[in-house]
Amino acid sequence: MVAKKETSAEKEKMKKQLKKIPVKDIKVTKAMTVDDMLQAMGRAGGFTAQKLADATDIAEKMVKKEGCLKILSFPACIMATGTRGVIVDMVKNHMVDLIITTCGCLDHDLSRLYAAYYKGDFMMDDALLRENDVSRLGNVLVPDDCYGYVLEDNLLPMFDEIFTETQSMSTHEIIDKVGEKLADVKGHEDSLLYWAHVNNVPIVVPGITDGSFGCQLWMYYQTHRKLRIDLFADEQMLSEMTNDAKYTGAIIIGGGISKHHVIWWNQFRGGLDYCIYLTTAEEYDGSLSGARIREAVSWGKVKANAKKMTVEGDATITLPLIYAGLANRLL
């Protein structure tokens, strides 16, 4: 195979990429803000610190871009942690127009509205936890009486009211109705479902039966056999929202079905214009969860000229830092 000779255009492109920007030391001061630190990281040129700073800049551009549909996707696990508060604030402060997530997001948001989760440790004795009716999610403890029982006691009566007039609804319609009914629940201002309803942010859960919320729908179905979940109505809305948007941008946390639904619908409009991916997954196994943004470019799911950044790291660290930077700049 003959090596390809570099053209003058390619050499010029390489020169631009090699423009000399000096690495500057981070100077920590007593009164510096999180945003000050992020900007210092951006000047430091240090590995993931640089990526985190660049991602914050991209997020700022995405939020400020007029006509940009702002999408947030994430797996359920972070809703069991205090990072739930960051997501709630992003919705409350109009930084999100659409959420695509997994069923457990609904479970944890609702359960924590009615009962408390507790701090634990990754190395706790899991057999002993089960003997004491406690489930472990990483280093978060979820007692049985704070989860399934809470949802069963509170959701089934809601479903009786929600499905009074119709027995066929999309996931985002059901979730919105539940969010509306939370207004009378103590502490509702901490709830993602409540603020999504208030600010008209649809929450789509493609795998609605893969969690306790979906299980409660299935239990309701046992005595209401005409109940139908209209998944096509969810897909129709996603198609219309992405196609009608002048620009689209996404902060994608983790992978799986929620990540894929974001990039899937954006391929039909030529790809995302802005894309930030926060991940701990590796790409060597060919998984969607580990696939970097550059792979999505090959599918047309992210534009080649999109403003994009993949940040490796735990989202319970990276997302609060990015949001703190945005809050300082935009609120």
Side-chain angles (χ1 to χ4, degrees):
M1 186 175 178
V2 180
K4 189 176 83 170
K5 200 169 183 179
E6 279 190 323
T7 66
S8 57
E10 288 172 332
K11 287 180 179 178
E12 190 61 33
K13 182 180 178 181
M14 181 60 71
K15 279 184 181 179
K16 288 181 179 178
Q17 291 176 339
L18 292 173
K19 63 180 179 179
K20 295 178 180 178
I21 302 174
V23 168
K24 295 187 178 181
D25 291 346
I26 295 173
K27 302 292 186 183
V28 178
T29 61
K30 188 174 182 179
M32 76 188 308
T33 66
V34 174
D35 191 30
D36 291 337
M37 178 57 78
L38 286 166
Q39 294 187 49
M41 287 177 173
R43 295 187 293 269
F47 315 132
T48 305
Q50 177 73 65
K51 292 184 176 186
L52 186 64
D54 290 347
T56 306
D57 292 341
I58 293 169
E60 179 186 6
K61 290 182 175 70
M62 180 181 78
V63 172
K64 291 167 70 174
K65 187 69 173 179
E66 188 174 345
C68 182
L69 176 70
K70 303 176 290 294
I71 308 168
L72 176 65
S73 78
F74 54 90
C77 57
I78 59 174
M79 289 294 287
T81 76
T83 307
R84 171 201 190 207
V86 172
I87 294 174
V88 169
D89 278 353
M90 290 177 73
V91 172
K92 187 190 301 186
N93 291 314
H94 306 284
M95 296 183 185
V96 179
D97 300 315
L98 169 67
I99 289 173
I100 304 179
T101 186
T102 58
C103 185
C105 165
L106 315 179
D107 300 349
H108 299 312
D109 186 59
L110 291 166
S111 293
R112 294 185 62 201
L113 188 60
Y114 294 103
Y117 286 10
Y118 299 95
K119 293 170 66 175
D121 187 270
F122 282 92
M123 301 308 295
M124 294 179 77
D125 186 327
D126 293 295
L128 185 61
L129 288 172
R130 180 59 359 229
E131 288 176 14
N132 286 275
D133 302 318
V134 176
S135 299
R136 181 177 62 82
L137 196 165
N139 58 356
V140 175
L141 302 180
V142 184
D144 288 355
D145 58 6
C146 297
Y147 189 64
Y149 301 140
V150 165
L151 294 179
E152 184 174 347
D153 290 345
N154 290 282
L155 277 178
L156 292 179
M158 286 188 195
F159 292 158
D160 275 330
E161 297 177 15
I162 291 170
F163 294 111
T164 298
E165 297 182 1
T166 179
Q167 293 188 314
S168 177
M169 299 177 76
S170 65
T171 68
H172 74 269
E173 289 170 331
I174 297 169
I175 295 163
D176 180 69
K177 290 291 186 183
V178 171
E180 181 181 16
K181 292 186 178 301
L182 297 180
D184 296 326
V185 178
K186 184 180 178 182
H188 62 270
E189 290 200 349
D190 293 330
S191 167
L192 174 62
L193 271 61
Y194 170 75
W195 279 107
H197 167 73
V198 169
N199 285 347
N200 195 30
V201 176
I203 299 177
V204 175
V205 179
I208 190 64
T209 57
D210 189 35
S212 188
F213 187 99
C215 188
Q216 300 308 317
L217 283 170
W218 173 79
M219 289 177 66
Y220 187 79
Y221 170 73
Q222 301 309 304
T223 53
H224 300 78
R225 287 294 186 177
K226 292 183 179 180
L227 176 65
R228 295 292 182 269
I229 308 302
D230 189 353
L231 296 181
F232 287 136
D234 286 317
E235 306 308 309
Q236 186 65 33
M237 183 192 69
L238 293 175
S239 174
E240 292 172 1
M241 290 184 77
T242 51
N243 285 327
D244 291 347
K246 190 172 182 180
Y247 307 98
T248 60
I251 297 177
I252 301 172
I253 302 168
I257 192 171
S258 52
K259 174 188 178 183
H260 189 256
H261 247 60
V262 173
I263 59 178
W264 176 262
W265 281 110
N266 275 279
Q267 72 182 316
F268 300 115
R269 62 173 308 278
L272 285 158
D273 298 282
Y274 302 86
C275 188
I276 297 164
Y277 183 28
L278 309 180
T279 183
T280 56
E282 296 288 352
E283 64 179 332
Y284 63 80
D285 60 359
S287 67
L288 173 82
S289 295
R292 294 324 192 230
I293 295 173
R294 62 180 180 272
E295 182 177 305
V297 171
S298 78
W299 290 84
K301 296 172 180 177
V302 177
K303 291 180 179 177
N305 64 348
K307 292 176 173 60
K308 50 190 179 290
M309 180 55 62
T310 295
V311 183
E312 293 83 5
D314 178 358
T316 64
I317 300 170
T318 55
L319 185 65
L321 291 174
I322 289 172
Y323 176 68
L326 293 178
N328 189 69
R329 300 174 195 184
L330 302 176
L331 299 182

